[in-house]
Structures are given as structure tokens and as C-alpha cells.
Amino acid sequence: PLTNGQRFHACSHKPLVILAKQLMADPRCIAVWGRKNDTASKTFLANAMAIASGLALNNDNKIVSSYAILGEEVFKATELDYACIESRLEKLLDVYTRVQEQCPTNETEKRKQWNVGLYTGYILYTMRQPDRDWEEDATMWVNYIIRVRREKSAICILKHNAPASRNWNRERWQQGLENIILAKDNVNWIPNNSVYSDEEDDE
């Protein structure tokens, strides 16, 4: 059976897939996440599709790398709002750039940030919510990611009370955002009943 990435690759002429491949080649993205020379399984492309959908679509349940969930949108999204996409991308990259400037890390750690389920999905969700102050939220995310770089256990804050399902969806993004807001006002809070794995699924 084909992987998610291979199925997306078979739709390379579709605007959303073109956008995902542009993200992988964009020098600004490479500076933040490292170069992505994809394998035959097209794993990096699948994750790029999740980021592309977060930039281009307005459905919080579509920030996923699963073709079963996102595939329909690939064919429906024939016209993309590139002004909106660029605005969101600049905001997203600015968060990571500020983090790197204030708390530099190595290339291996930067590559881990490519996984949309680590921070990016939550950040994209945050910037798309109405009635929020993005400048404050951007600083909140910068400070949190820096905290995790300095204090590994702080990653449990983001994953605290995460839904039992490992799907990437609105419920997961919202819970993570609520956790970060709570941690902002409780700087010493580390939940002691959270389990985090680098291996996040969305299927």
C-alpha cells in the first residue's frame, strides 16, 4: 500500500501539494527546520502537507498528514489565498527565528521541529483563532519553546490532558493552547501525569 506521502505525491499538480513542496524548498523554512531530502516513502512531504493545510485552509481538523483526512481537500482547494498563506507563514517562521536567536540549538533539534504535532500545529491553530492578540501569542510561544529547550520536562505542559485519540484535531490544538496560556501565568507549573512521545500520529 502507498504511504500518505506517496499518495500526496501522486497529486503533485494540485495547488495544495505544490504549496507543500514549495515549503520544503523555501530557504526560510530550511533555515528553521533544516533541509528535507525526502525518501521514497515521502514522509517529509506528508508533514509538509499538514503545514500547508494549516497555512491555506481554515478547518482546524485538517492540519494533518493523513491522506484519508486531507485527501479530499487536495482536490477541492483549486484556488489558494497566497496573501493569507504568506502572512501566516511569516508569523510562523518568526516564532522559530526568535526562539533560535534567543536560545540557539543544533541542527538535529531544529529538524525535530518539522513535526507538525510538536509545536507548529498548535501555533498555526493559535494564530487562526479570532479575538486573540497575535503579538502576545507569538511571544507566549517563543517563551514556551525556549523554556522547553532549557527544561525538557516542560514539553509535558503542552501535552497535558491531551485527548486519548492520537489524531491531530481541533480538540488537541485547543487543549494545548489552553495549557500554554495556563503555564504563562504559572511559571513553575509542570504537570506530573503527562506522558509525551516524539512519535505523534494523526491517523
Side-chain angles (χ1 to χ4, degrees), residues 114-171:
W114 175 248
N115 185 337
V116 76
L118 182 54
Y119 303 120
T120 298
Y122 298 92
I123 298 170
L124 288 170
Y125 172 81
T126 301
M127 73 174 65
R128 291 164 19 156
Q129 302 313 301
D131 303 322
R132 295 199 58 83
D133 185 325
W134 171 247
E135 293 304 317
E136 290 186 6
D137 284 340
T139 299
M140 176 180 70
W141 278 108
V142 169
N143 291 339
Y144 174 69
I145 298 173
I146 289 173
R147 179 178 177 182
V148 174
R149 287 189 178 184
R150 293 172 174 167
E151 181 186 357
K152 296 294 187 183
S153 60
I155 191 63
C156 291
I157 294 171
L158 187 60
K159 311 301 177 178
H160 182 58
N161 285 337
S165 168
R166 289 170 65 84
N167 288 350
W168 299 340
N169 53 31
R170 190 180 201 283
E171 183 182 7

Side-chain angles (χ1 to χ4, degrees), residues 13-200:
H13 60 293
K14 297 296 183 181
L16 200 59
V17 183
I18 292 172
L19 172 61
K21 292 190 173 187
Q22 288 173 339
L23 293 175
M24 293 173 63
D26 191 317
R28 298 171 299 172
C29 296
I30 292 172
V32 165
W33 293 305
R35 189 171 300 279
K36 302 301 175 187
N37 298 318
D38 221 341
T39 62
S41 64
K42 303 297 180 184
T43 303
F44 292 140
L45 175 59
N47 192 81
M49 287 297 298
I51 298 174
S53 67
L55 295 171
L57 308 179
N58 291 312
N59 186 332
D60 297 325
N61 290 317
K62 299 292 185 177
I63 309 176
V64 296
S65 60
S66 168
Y67 185 90
I69 298 173
L70 188 56
E72 182 181 358
E73 296 294 337
V74 170
F75 291 92
K76 287 171 55 179
T78 56
E79 295 185 7
L80 304 181
D81 184 344
Y82 288 100
C84 177
I85 290 168
E86 183 62 22
S87 174
R88 289 173 174 174
L89 179 60
E90 287 183 356
K91 291 176 180 177
L92 175 63
L93 296 179
D94 178 63
V95 169
Y96 286 115
T97 300
R98 289 165 60 187
V99 170
Q100 186 66 11
E101 289 173 349
Q102 296 178 46
C103 185
T105 191
N106 58 41
E107 291 300 313
T108 299
E109 292 300 314
K110 286 168 66 175
R111 284 195 292 269
K112 289 181 180 179
Q113 296 174 160
W114 175 248
N115 185 337
V116 76
L118 182 54
Y119 303 120
T120 298
Y122 298 92
I123 298 170
L124 288 170
Y125 172 81
T126 301
M127 73 174 65
R128 291 164 19 156
Q129 302 313 301
D131 303 322
R132 295 199 58 83
D133 185 325
W134 171 247
E135 293 304 317
E136 290 186 6
D137 284 340
T139 299
M140 176 180 70
W141 278 108
V142 169
N143 291 339
Y144 174 69
I145 298 173
I146 289 173
R147 179 178 177 182
V148 174
R149 287 189 178 184
R150 293 172 174 167
E151 181 186 357
K152 296 294 187 183
S153 60
I155 191 63
C156 291
I157 294 171
L158 187 60
K159 311 301 177 178
H160 182 58
N161 285 337
S165 168
R166 289 170 65 84
N167 288 350
W168 299 340
N169 53 31
R170 190 180 201 283
E171 183 182 7
R172 179 176 291 273
W173 307 135
Q174 178 61 29
Q175 182 62 60
L177 174 57
E178 291 176 2
N179 292 344
I180 300 305
I181 293 171
L182 179 62
K184 182 179 68 170
D185 299 322
N186 297 271
V187 294
N188 295 318
W189 176 56
I190 293 286
N192 57 13
N193 61 341
S194 298
V195 178
Y196 170 69
S197 169
D198 283 333
E199 300 298 325
E200 290 281 347

